[in-house]
Amino acid sequence: MKVYCATNIGCVRTLNEDSYYMPVDGQKFMAVADGMGGHRAGEIASRMAVRIFSEILQQEKAPSPERLRYAFNKANRDVYLESERDSAKRGMGTTMTGLWFGESDVLLGHVGDSRAYRLRNGKIERLSNDHSYVEELVRSGVITPEMALNHPQRNVITRSIGPWPRVEADIARFDVQKGDVWLLCTDGLTRYVPDSDLELALNSPNPRNEQVGALINAALQRGGADNITVMLVTGEGDAHE
């Protein structure tokens, strides 16, 4: 397994509130998170969430939906309690989207509007559903995906880690095939780069680390008003190493 990741502060923000976790020493789990809150609070929330995620999962020998859910619940509880202890952090929160690979499948854990994708046989598929107001409008047919891109309430998150004592993470299992490419990213990428362009980038002949940089540059060139984090995960023998 190979993991490639980069993050960028973007063109407008003065602080990068995105965080991520990359596997070490044979680990097979990874995550991205996009923080929100007052001065530095979003950065604190996202950093706490991915740290707790990694601490819980590194205690396990094999992927387990129950333990993955517990990792999200523990992250939520700790971020919430920290925000209650310090008024400067009150209401802080973060998205988090993570993958946990087994021998022939992978578990996805997700809260918020960061995203997970899988590229298989040249076709990209979005695996996560945004927990956002505009996504609910799209799913209900009130607005189109194109209208959602510029909706005035596109940044309203309906589910995140930290603001409330409890949160329900989406947990799903997917099969793994040779040649799959997995993408985790914050909404600083998907706000500017549509799925069709993600597919083009991941099908390019460039090395994976260059694909990560190209995706970030695409978001920057189209406005880049948010922090941007992009992570690619590939199996052994990937032709784009």
Side-chain angles (χ1 to χ4, degrees):
M1 176 181 294
K2 300 278 188 176
V3 183
Y4 310 85
C5 187
T7 188
N8 190 286
I9 197 171
C11 301
V12 175
R13 303 290 180 88
T14 59
L15 178 69
N16 192 340
E17 296 186 314
D18 286 359
S19 297
Y20 60 87
Y21 184 80
M22 292 181 66
V24 296
D25 300 329
Q27 294 172 346
K28 293 189 176 182
F29 49 82
M30 60 288 300
V32 300
D34 179 1
M36 61 200 81
H39 179 62
R40 299 192 69 86
E43 177 192 28
I44 294 168
S46 66
R47 198 168 59 230
M48 284 183 64
V50 298
R51 174 179 57 79
I52 294 163
F53 170 89
S54 66
E55 288 175 352
I56 297 298
L57 299 195
Q58 70 184 359
Q59 301 171 20
E60 306 300 318
K61 294 182 178 180
S64 159
E66 293 76 19
R67 293 302 287 174
L68 183 58
R69 187 176 301 279
Y70 173 74
F72 274 80
N73 290 341
K74 181 70 162 56
N76 182 77
R77 185 66 177 170
D78 286 8
V79 172
Y80 173 76
L81 290 176
E82 180 63 23
S83 73
E84 290 292 294
R85 280 192 290 265
D86 185 345
S87 61
K89 302 171 186 172
R90 192 65 48 82
M92 72 176 179
T94 183
T95 71
M96 186 161 67
T97 303
L99 296 172
W100 191 7
F101 286 86
E103 292 301 320
S104 59
D105 57 13
V106 60
L107 292 175
L108 165 69
H110 169 69
V111 170
D113 66 349
S114 295
R115 291 183 181 177
Y117 292 86
R118 177 178 62 190
L119 183 80
R120 174 173 289 176
N121 298 323
K123 299 296 182 182
I124 200 163
E125 176 186 7
R126 195 170 90 176
L127 306 179
S128 57
N129 291 317
D130 292 353
H131 299 141
S132 68
Y133 176 65
V134 295
E135 183 78 1
E136 292 176 1
L137 295 179
V138 171
R139 285 197 290 265
S140 63
V142 175
I143 63 173
T144 66
E146 292 72 25
M147 294 168 64
L149 294 175
N150 297 305
H151 195 282
Q153 293 176 293
R154 64 181 178 272
N155 293 325
V156 176
I157 305 300
T158 57
R159 204 187 308 179
S160 59
I161 289 174
W164 304 281
R166 295 178 179 83
V167 71
E168 181 68 22
D170 290 346
I171 306 294
R173 188 187 299 271
F174 299 93
D175 69 301
V176 174
Q177 293 183 11
K178 185 178 180 180
D180 287 344
V181 181
W182 307 81
L183 166 66
L184 297 178
C185 60
T186 57
D187 71 325
L189 177 70
T190 53
R191 176 177 172 183
Y192 298 99
V193 184
D195 290 4
S196 57
D197 286 357
L198 298 179
E199 184 176 284
L200 285 173
L202 299 185
N203 280 315
S204 78
N206 299 328
R208 297 297 180 196
N209 64 320
E210 293 183 12
Q211 292 177 358
V212 169
L215 287 171
I216 289 176
N217 286 335
L220 292 172
Q221 291 167 6
R222 298 173 190 182
D226 201 354
N227 309 144
I228 310 157
T229 299
V230 178
M231 181 182 292
L232 293 181
V233 185
T234 66
E236 295 297 331
D238 179 53
H240 294 256
E241 291 182 6

